[in-house]
Amino acid sequence: MAEIFIDNNRYEFEGPTKVLQFILDQGLELPFFCYHPSLSIPANCRQCYVEAGQPVMNRETGKYEVDEEGNRVIRFFPKLMTACSLDATDGMVIKTHVTSELVRRGQKDVLEFILINHPLDCPICDQAGECPLQIQTYKYGPEGSRFEHKKVHKPKRIQLGPRVVLDAERCINCTRCVRFTEEVSKSNQLTIVQRGDKNYPVTAPGTEFDDPYSINTVDICPVGALTSSDFRFKARVWEMSSTPSLDITNGKGCSVDVWTRDNLVMRITPRHNPHINDYWMPDAGREAYKIYNENRISRPDLNIDGDKVKSSWNNALLTIAENLDTVKPSEILVLGSGYGSVEDNYVLGKFFSVLGQEQAHFVPNILAGTGDNFLISDDQAPNTNGCRFLGFNELKPDSINKEITSGKYKTIIVLQEDIVGRNLITTQDLSNVFMVYLGTNNNDTSRFANVTIPVTTAIEHVGSYVNVDGRVQRSMPAKETVYTDRRINLEMSMGRLDHFGTRFDNWVSDKNKVDCIPAWEFFVRLAHEMNKEFQYNDVREIISEISLTNKHFSGVSYERMDNELGIDLVNKQKEELNLA
Amino acid sequence: MEKFEFTKEELAVIDEIIAKYPNPQPAVMPVLWMAQDKFGHVEPDVQKLVANTLGLPESHVHGVATFYTQYYKERKGKYVLDVCTSFSCQACGAYDTLHYIEDKLGIKAGDTTEDGMFSIQSVECLGACGYAPMMQITNDIYVNHLTKEKIDTVIEDLKKDKLPEFEPIPLVQNREIAQEK
Ligand code: SF4
Ligand code: FES
Ligand code: FES
């Protein structure tokens, strides 16, 4: 195997690789700005300098030449090389800042140049705390600047598009944002204008940066030049805690990180997952914070003579249990949903099969033509395939109305599907049935339901979701409910404020905790209320039962989902065959 | 609104230009030149025309057009005085020259006189560092070794639409005076 020596240590590598990427893959550090593993390599920031050399080969003998001490003779490139664009070759010798004074000097000088016109406004900059420029200047930069002149001023607060704001003074012209629109989103909306110290990225005159993936440029901008209009000035990075999760706003289910502060979701950013979304996500998915934060159903609601009245959990349970006692199993319509997790849907189905209603249904929410074959799917729900794999009966959007008005059903149980808001049925047609709605947010269905049960969102529980390609991922709790506590639940992450804030601080409160429980837990409680044998203590029991009883999910566990960044349920069998 | 279009003949020329390269990108510069020769400027609408003609994103053409001061992104005067203020010229008093011209014409660099005769631009190195300080007139003739007197004459001449003569400057080693010293 080919070998490479980095700072006197020997490493082996296979296939073509760039030196910088190889260094990063080893968990070593080398500062850089413009390089991005999923974009082309312009080598324009010059921050990734290394000394590089190759062993001298004697062309006649085909052997490496050695000096008196028997060491290979190394011929170094005459100048520092940019590691990002340098191909690793067999026997290559690399010196980074760890062993080379020249490289240390190079890194310092490059940073001094980059900072000449940089405003150094970190205290008011959103990027501070997660800014490669800030971090690398601390680590590798010069102590001060020798530049005594007035800095070049450039446009500030340019609204590039509806979701992205540019501060041209902070830009270091790495061109990552431009390359993103050229190579990934392919909208070609950005370009660098002007030259020398005056340049910065903008759109062509008269056009807007309205790319449906525009906010990704904010993520990859190595400085605070591009900021999200929405998240701007809302929270400092170190105040938030981040939790791995997935995008629930469409069927692709991009891997994301959910950032919370005081149990409010402040922002959602993509998490690298080569199997689904690489480093990217659609802008629309970042809006999901509104679903998590706003207009939530908290505490059960009862509909008493057309008025919604808050009720106790016991009262709600009793009301539902009473109703279920009076109807025949065949008179219950069980409606699961691609918006609910695999676990919730499974327990819903199982609970009603215990009661005698074996078949659960669901109505996929697929809007043909809204997808783009990239990260936006026609499918609007994150778990449509989950319902399919659980054996739920797929109803056509126009057939549910018929089902209900046929008079077959007296009671309908709806899990997280806004059937009224989606215009699948009118409230008039629902007026003859008793409807229980389990949902996260107030909507037309919840307002009309006889009983509304608040359930947890994807980021308040552990739940699995199967995306359009059949890949199952799971979410983790990021936001506390009234009944969960991040100090006790070890799966919840703790940010600085979560650690050190107390009830007596004005930045920590209980007001953002919603009074809701996971849907599966609700059915367990309902079973108790109705004196049925039906028990799950924890969501892990549910997923392991599913993996043992449902062939689609065989071998699935949270550990595997975490370690393998989701599991492909569709090609799983094929993969296993290949292995054998 | 003014409409910008290429004629059939021009489009044929453009096709020839494109055919020289493996992809249309490199044709941006010559086609921008054609457009500027034709319309006198490459305002955003002209940039758009070039982009559409070449089938390239507008942003790309915009980036190229703004990179070079030689492309006029807005309408300019009849004569554009590109005064070099890069290093060598600067060291030889380019800013004094620039300010002299500015005062003389009563406008600032980047602006155009009211009668539409002159525009001034402060530009980067024009590769004539040996004859600093210097300026170029409307992307054409170079005027070297600028002095106040020289500027006065050039501007008076230009007002009469008389362009300065091309002045050949021999290499230092070939100059008799230089050899005598
Ligand atoms: S705005 Fe950010 S990503 Fe774009 S070129 Fe400037 S520094 Fe790079
Ligand atoms: S990362 Fe290598 S030059 Fe920018
Ligand atoms: S610096 Fe003026 S021509 Fe080079």
Side-chain angles (χ1 to χ4, degrees):
Chain A
M1 203 181 280
E3 54 181 4
I4 183 168
F5 300 86
I6 300 169
D7 295 327
N8 304 327
N9 292 320
R10 179 176 177 278
Y11 299 87
E12 289 184 347
F13 70 95
E14 245 180 317
T17 173
K18 301 289 181 194
V19 171
L20 173 60
Q21 187 59 55
F22 184 75
I23 288 177
L24 299 175
D25 290 344
Q26 307 314 306
L28 305 172
E29 200 178 277
L30 193 67
F32 65 96
F33 296 114
C34 68
Y35 176 75
H36 189 286
S38 286
L39 299 174
S40 60
I41 304 173
N44 64 23
C45 74
R46 317 308 283 178
Q47 189 60 57
C48 63
Y49 275 149
V50 290
E51 276 191 74
Q54 279 163 318
V56 182
M57 165 112 47
N58 186 320
R59 297 216 178 186
E60 266 134 54
T61 60
K63 295 231 173 61
Y64 289 134
E65 283 181 13
V66 288
D67 61 13
E68 303 92 68
E69 282 155 38
N71 295 326
R72 280 185 195 167
V73 179
I74 303 296
R75 188 178 292 138
F76 277 89
F77 287 98
K79 301 227 166 129
L80 292 176
M81 301 295 283
T82 50
C84 63
S85 59
L86 184 64
D87 283 307
T89 57
D90 192 17
M92 187 174 252
V93 175
I94 300 290
K95 292 193 207 165
T96 72
H97 53 277
V98 178
T99 49
S100 162
E101 182 52 41
L102 189 64
V103 172
R104 279 195 286 271
R105 181 66 205 272
Q107 291 173 343
K108 236 189 206 133
D109 289 352
V110 168
L111 273 165
E112 193 178 351
F113 267 124
I114 291 180
L115 292 173
I116 279 184
N117 285 312
H118 190 81
L120 296 172
D121 55 351
C122 310
I124 56 146
C125 177
D126 265 324
Q127 187 87 346
E130 57 176 6
C131 176
L133 182 60
Q134 190 183 38
I135 296 165
Q136 289 173 27
T137 304
Y138 268 112
K139 279 187 144 169
Y140 307 102
E143 239 108 86
S145 175
R146 287 169 287 173
F147 188 75
E148 301 165 341
H149 307 271
K150 203 174 147 214
K151 296 192 181 222
V152 171
H153 287 297
K154 298 197 237 182
K156 290 177 101 71
R157 293 178 299 278
I158 310 179
Q159 194 76 43
L160 284 185
R163 297 174 290 276
V164 178
V165 180
L166 167 74
D167 181 324
E169 288 183 349
R170 291 181 188 152
C171 171
I172 62 168
N173 284 291
C174 71
T175 69
R176 272 183 178 187
C177 54
V178 176
R179 281 175 283 144
F180 175 82
T181 66
E182 283 171 0
E183 296 160 19
V184 181
S185 73
K186 306 221 161 62
S187 70
N188 286 299
Q189 287 181 336
L190 293 180
T191 186
I192 302 277
V193 291
Q194 309 284 355
R195 67 194 261 196
D197 55 16
K198 297 181 192 64
N199 56 3
Y200 58 91
V202 283
T203 55
T207 64
E208 248 197 331
F209 187 35
D210 55 0
D211 190 318
Y213 294 92
S214 65
I215 309 181
N216 290 299
T217 60
V218 174
D219 298 331
I220 57 173
C221 179
V223 295
L226 298 176
T227 47
S228 143
S229 335
D230 200 9
F231 176 66
R232 225 164 124 78
F233 304 133
K234 271 207 195 143
R236 312 270 21 194
V237 182
W238 54 88
E239 294 172 336
M240 298 181 284
S241 56
S242 85
T243 310
S245 193
L246 55 111
D247 180 4
I248 55 151
T249 60
N250 84 55
K252 196 73 187 181
C254 295
S255 296
V256 301
D257 280 314
V258 173
W259 299 74
T260 56
R261 185 186 65 190
D262 191 22
N263 292 311
L264 276 187
V265 180
M266 307 307 294
R267 67 168 177 183
I268 296 171
T269 55
R271 176 165 52 93
H272 180 217
N273 187 339
H275 309 291
I276 301 176
N277 54 319
D278 206 12
Y279 295 88
W280 325 116
M281 74 179 289
D283 290 357
R286 309 193 191 227
E287 305 265 313
Y289 77 92
K290 293 185 187 147
I291 302 177
Y292 300 134
N293 292 348
E294 296 164 16
N295 192 26
R296 292 290 303 274
I297 308 171
S298 197
R299 294 194 74 205
D301 280 335
L302 292 185
N303 194 334
I304 299 177
D305 301 331
D307 283 332
K308 278 293 199 184
V309 183
K310 285 281 170 211
S311 119
S312 69
W313 284 93
N314 282 338
N315 198 1
L317 281 166
L318 222 82
T319 314
I320 299 172
E322 267 172 17
N323 175 275
L324 291 179
D325 278 338
T326 60
V327 294
K328 292 202 227 48
S330 61
E331 290 169 338
I332 307 171
L333 175 67
V334 180
L335 210 56
S337 157
Y339 290 96
S341 67
V342 171
E343 291 81 348
D344 287 346
N345 277 297
Y346 173 80
V347 172
L348 166 82
K350 176 114 188 245
F351 174 80
F352 283 98
S353 71
V354 167
L355 290 192
Q357 172 54 283
E358 298 281 345
Q359 187 60 60
H361 309 263
F362 80 111
V363 202
N365 193 1
I366 295 169
L367 304 179
T370 54
D372 63 359
N373 285 327
F374 183 39
L375 299 179
I376 301 175
S377 62
D378 287 349
D379 194 341
Q380 306 294 301
N383 193 28
T384 305
N385 273 331
C387 293
R388 291 195 180 118
F389 291 169
L390 286 175
F392 282 20
N393 174 39
E394 194 167 332
L395 289 176
K396 293 238 156 43
D398 50 5
S399 61
I400 173 162
N401 195 16
K402 243 181 279 148
E403 290 279 325
I404 293 174
T405 48
S406 68
K408 261 194 290 187
Y409 300 109
K410 293 218 168 103
T411 295
I412 98 166
I413 310 288
V414 184
L415 175 69
Q416 278 177 272
E417 191 74 68
D418 184 9
I419 49 173
V420 179
R422 274 178 64 193
N423 292 324
L424 300 176
I425 189 160
T426 60
T427 48
Q428 194 132 35
D429 289 337
L430 281 169
S431 50
N432 293 326
V433 293
F434 180 83
M435 178 164 70
V436 178
Y437 178 68
L438 295 96
T440 54
N441 299 73
N442 291 305
N443 56 30
D444 293 340
T445 311
S446 76
R447 274 186 280 278
F448 189 75
N450 296 66
V451 186
T452 306
I453 301 298
V455 294
T456 45
T457 57
I459 60 150
E460 284 154 325
H461 63 212
V462 172
S464 315
Y465 299 79
V466 187
N467 83 351
V468 282
D469 304 316
R471 199 173 186 87
V472 62
Q473 299 179 86
R474 66 120 163 187
S475 69
M476 282 188 212
K479 179 173 176 345
E480 288 168 315
T481 67
V482 170
Y483 309 104
T484 57
D485 186 339
R486 63 176 80 239
R487 284 173 200 268
I488 296 170
N489 184 343
L490 294 181
E491 224 158 35
M492 298 191 77
S493 49
M494 300 267 280
R496 239 168 65 114
L497 288 192
D498 300 324
H499 266 291
F500 303 113
T502 73
R503 252 161 236 282
F504 309 104
D505 299 326
N506 54 8
W507 57 84
V508 178
S509 69
D510 278 340
K511 69 172 190 288
N512 302 321
K513 298 183 186 174
V514 176
D515 189 351
C516 61
I517 59 174
W520 65 264
E521 199 180 321
F522 178 76
F523 292 111
V524 170
R525 291 201 201 173
L526 189 56
H528 279 265
E529 191 64 46
M530 300 174 71
N531 292 319
K532 302 273 177 211
E533 278 294 319
F534 191 76
Q535 181 64 38
Y536 294 102
N537 294 311
D538 131 24
V539 68
R540 277 168 201 271
E541 277 176 26
I542 306 171
I543 193 73
S544 55
E545 184 177 312
I546 299 173
S547 78
L548 290 174
T549 55
N550 185 317
K551 67 172 193 319
H552 294 287
F553 292 92
S554 70
V556 162
S557 69
Y558 293 144
E559 284 64 35
R560 277 193 62 202
M561 291 187 217
D562 293 349
N563 296 337
E564 300 165 30
L565 299 172
I567 308 167
D568 186 346
L569 299 182
V570 175
N571 297 312
K572 187 179 51 158
Q573 269 103 347
K574 283 189 221 146
E575 269 167 36
E576 275 159 14
L577 282 179
N578 286 345
L579 288 180
Chain B
M1 217 181 79
E2 203 177 336
K3 259 198 112 166
F4 299 105
E5 270 167 11
F6 285 125
T7 62
K8 246 204 212 106
E9 295 73 45
E10 285 161 344
L11 287 174
V13 177
I14 292 174
D15 280 340
E16 270 169 42
I17 299 175
I18 297 176
K20 287 191 208 156
Y21 307 102
N23 60 54
Q25 224 123 324
V28 171
M29 293 187 61
V31 176
L32 275 173
W33 270 129
M34 279 180 62
Q36 179 155 310
D37 281 345
K38 177 167 179 174
F39 307 112
H41 58 82
V42 289
E43 281 186 340
D45 283 334
V46 179
Q47 294 170 23
K48 200 167 174 172
L49 169 73
V50 172
N52 293 343
T53 313
L54 296 176
L56 289 171
E58 270 173 66
S59 62
H60 181 78
V61 175
H62 183 59
V64 175
T66 54
F67 186 89
Y68 298 98
T69 41
Q70 285 84 350
Y71 293 126
Y72 304 144
K73 275 74 65 183
E74 60 213 18
R75 285 163 210 251
K76 295 277 174 193
K78 189 162 180 199
Y79 298 108
V80 181
L81 309 181
D82 287 328
V83 184
C84 171
T85 47
S86 265
F87 188 74
S88 308
C89 291
Q90 215 176 89
C92 297
Y95 277 110
D96 294 338
T97 324
L98 177 67
H99 295 150
Y100 181 73
I101 303 178
E102 284 178 340
D103 291 345
K104 193 170 166 66
L105 297 178
I107 51 171
K108 289 272 167 225
D111 295 342
T112 304
T113 52
E114 259 170 37
D115 58 4
M117 270 304 269
F118 295 102
S119 301
I120 312 176
Q121 293 198 108
S122 136
V123 302
E124 300 305 327
C125 181
L126 290 167
C129 312
Y131 332 128
M134 58 80 63
M135 69 175 176
Q136 187 182 19
I137 297 172
T138 329
N139 290 335
D140 189 7
I141 202 145
Y142 278 21
V143 190
N144 303 315
H145 296 306
L146 289 176
T147 57
K148 288 185 181 159
E149 295 71 35
K150 207 162 182 175
I151 292 167
D152 290 341
T153 342
V154 168
I155 290 182
E156 283 319 308
D157 283 353
L158 285 177
K159 281 187 183 155
K160 291 178 225 133
D161 284 331
K162 183 167 166 265
L163 276 167
E165 296 281 306
F166 169 73
E167 53 179 321
I169 299 185
L171 292 175
V172 172
Q173 55 268 44
N174 297 342
R175 280 183 214 159
E176 277 169 15
I177 316 156
Q179 276 166 355
E180 275 169 20
K181 270 193 184 165

